Amino acid sequence: MNAPARLEHTSSYYAASAHPSPERPSLQGAEQVDVCVIGAGYTGVSAALHLAERGYQVAVLEAARVGWGASGRNGGQIVNSYSRDMDVIERRHGRAAAEALGAMAFEGGRIIRERIAQYGIQCDLKTGNVFAAFTQKQLDELAAKKRLWERYGHTGLQLVGREGMRGIVASDQYAGALLDNWGGHIHPLNLVLGEAAALESLGGRIFEQSAVLKIHPGGRVRVETAGGEVSCRFLVVAGNAYLGELLPALAEKSLPCGTQVVTTERLPEALAKSLLPGDHCVEDCNFLLDYYRLTADNRLLYGGGTVYGARDPGEVERLIRPKMLKTFPQLADYKIEFGWTGNFSLTLSRLPQAGRIGDNVYYSQGCSGHGVTYTHLAGRLLAEAIHGDSRRFDQFAGLPHYPFPGGRALRVPMLSMGAWWYGLRDRLGL
């Protein structure tokens, strides 16, 4: 029988500019550990690192390479809070839930910075992210967001009007913005590669090319791959949008969605600085939003174009370049050098899902577009719960985790219709 083909990183700017990383072995034979983690993205590596720091023996099983999924393909933006903010949480789930989740809303970004400082991770960290408003209505909503976040302790926010936008972005299409000085941006693949190296420095093991085929629950969970098996006291399931049908009960409550990203060729330094004078990352306020930033070597990275159902749209440049040129027509003569697509996991509530299956299988999924920060928070909460203090983890586990209506056959077309409607609202400025 032929060995399965190796899964390598997608042909992205991140993969082309990543720091050297070893090809880790696949699982062969039997292993016994305290905790097994499925998935070597941000959630899995973050949880494993927190656990290793507490003295647990940890093994991570990755179907491809470290950071192969969303953790190594995303826009690289450190965006605070959740895809649904605390006011929505309060309306839907009550004041106590909003207060509990609000107390953690800005922690993920702090964890990232702590990791970078503690382990000397080189991942092009820059400070500041911007929410850009096209209309006065959107700017008013940003003013309300500023008041809301300040109520939960955020002191690094600045509201900017149309006149102040020139110091942020060289585009005439915005009415104003909210600048979050606690946000920022990074090279996302280099971040997770650095965190994986930190885990291994503490004795944690990572097995690549080791897709999990079956989970056998019990007092000690057995996790089976093509080459071997891991026996563990606790299992953490952190496959997110790439988990597939391994656990159908989780698959029915989340939906893989695709997003597309491009990067230009290297720009002249003066031009790059003129596009984004403050070197912030930017996302707009539309429901189907676009986002962009400068890389460390003066390329413009631009993303957007959400596709429900994780379909590969092909021709990424054809989809994204017109959006980029609408924002920055001054880039018409510069070519796109990299274009790629990747999946993130969406939930019906747009809030992340965390919980347990039985007594010793833990999971976290469904970041719904806020994965860079939430996954790092989730890793800490998973480690706390496994170590015996589940109070904060249970605030997420206690939220309702809704299945998508219509089952597998209808959830993609229904969400696509919703996306079409919200896209129409974006275009009409409603």
Side-chain angles (χ1 to χ4, degrees):
M1 182 181 294
N2 293 330
R6 289 182 60 86
L7 292 173
E8 300 295 343
H9 287 289
T10 192
S11 299
S12 68
Y13 165 74
Y14 297 137
S17 57
H19 299 317
S21 179
E23 290 191 2
R24 297 167 174 90
S26 62
L27 178 67
Q28 300 294 324
E31 299 283 346
Q32 293 196 26
V33 294
D34 297 322
V35 185
C36 178
V37 177
I38 299 175
Y42 286 149
T43 302
V45 173
S46 176
L49 182 53
H50 280 290
L51 287 161
E53 290 172 332
R54 293 174 180 265
Y56 288 82
Q57 291 181 308
V58 185
V60 180
L61 301 177
E62 167 55 47
R65 302 292 305 277
V66 171
W68 181 86
S71 299
R73 307 187 193 202
N74 64 77
Q77 301 203 21
I78 301 173
V79 180
N80 283 302
S81 192
Y82 315 106
S83 188
R84 289 293 178 264
D85 230 324
M86 278 74 76
D87 54 344
V88 177
I89 296 170
E90 183 170 346
R91 287 197 302 271
R92 292 180 180 174
H93 308 294
R95 181 66 179 267
E99 293 288 346
L101 270 62
M104 298 181 268
F106 313 117
E107 188 172 344
R110 292 197 297 270
I111 293 170
I112 292 171
R113 288 178 168 84
E114 289 167 7
R115 292 305 190 211
I116 291 170
Q118 181 177 359
Y119 293 105
I121 299 172
Q122 302 299 312
C123 60
D124 306 333
L125 173 64
K126 299 179 183 181
T127 297
N129 80 275
V130 171
F131 303 96
F134 290 110
T135 66
Q136 185 60 45
K137 179 185 175 186
Q138 290 181 344
L139 189 58
D140 293 342
E141 291 169 350
L142 289 176
K145 178 192 286 285
K146 179 175 183 289
R147 293 190 295 271
L148 177 68
W149 284 14
E150 287 173 342
R151 191 177 117 201
Y152 285 91
H154 196 318
T155 59
L157 300 165
Q158 179 184 352
L159 200 64
V160 179
R162 188 179 294 275
E163 292 302 315
M165 286 302 291
R166 275 288 164 182
I168 293 177
V169 55
S171 179
D172 295 325
Q173 61 182 346
Y174 301 115
L178 180 64
L179 169 60
D180 180 2
N181 291 300
W182 290 6
H185 51 115
I186 38 86
H187 186 301
L189 181 54
N190 279 337
L191 174 61
V192 71
L193 292 175
E195 291 171 331
L199 168 63
E200 291 170 323
S201 75
L202 298 179
R205 289 175 293 168
I206 301 173
F207 297 96
E208 296 182 328
Q209 311 299 326
S210 299
V212 173
L213 303 177
K214 194 168 184 180
I215 296 169
H216 303 273
R220 286 190 70 86
V221 184
R222 293 188 298 114
V223 185
E224 181 183 335
T225 73
E229 179 180 285
V230 176
S231 171
C232 54
R233 291 166 52 203
F234 301 97
L235 174 65
V236 173
V237 180
N240 226 302
Y242 293 90
L243 186 62
E245 297 298 321
L246 182 63
L247 289 171
L250 297 187
E252 70 179 10
K253 296 175 183 176
S254 66
L255 177 68
C257 300
T259 186
Q260 294 79 47
V261 188
V262 301
T263 53
T264 66
E265 63 183 307
R266 292 186 181 185
L267 304 176
E269 184 172 356
L271 174 60
K273 287 184 176 180
S274 72
L275 298 179
L276 291 161
D279 208 3
H280 307 111
C281 58
V282 178
E283 66 175 66
D284 67 45
C285 294
N286 282 343
F287 182 86
L288 300 179
L289 61 84
D290 295 327
Y291 51 87
Y292 51 89
R293 64 186 182 87
L294 292 173
T295 64
D297 57 353
N298 290 328
R299 303 170 187 268
L300 184 75
L301 182 149
Y302 201 106
T306 299
V307 178
Y308 288 95
R311 293 170 292 159
D312 183 357
E315 297 184 358
V316 173
E317 180 176 346
R318 178 182 62 81
L319 290 170
I320 302 300
R321 185 176 177 84
K323 298 170 178 283
M324 182 187 78
L325 293 181
K326 185 176 181 181
T327 307
F328 297 115
Q330 54 270 56
L331 295 181
D333 294 332
Y334 292 89
K335 68 180 181 180
I336 300 295
E337 277 200 3
F338 296 93
W340 67 96
T341 187
N343 297 339
F344 64 94
S345 184
L346 182 76
T347 68
L348 193 62
S349 69
R350 304 299 197 271
L351 289 171
Q353 298 171 346
R356 303 172 187 78
I357 302 173
D359 294 329
N360 55 357
V361 176
Y362 290 76
Y363 66 87
S364 180
Q365 67 174 15
C367 310
S368 299
H370 277 60
V372 174
T373 51
Y374 170 73
T375 51
H376 285 82
L377 171 65
R380 175 174 283 175
L381 300 185
L382 286 159
E384 288 175 357
I386 288 170
H387 195 60
D389 182 358
S390 64
R391 289 172 294 177
R392 300 206 305 160
F393 179 84
D394 286 344
Q395 296 297 331
F396 286 97
L399 297 175
H401 300 167
Y402 303 109
F404 279 87
R408 299 177 190 176
L410 295 180
R411 61 182 179 174
V412 170
M414 288 180 69
L415 281 168
S416 296
M417 288 175 63
W420 174 86
W421 166 245
Y422 280 105
L424 178 62
R425 290 185 61 182
D426 289 342
R427 291 191 293 273
L428 296 175
L430 298 178

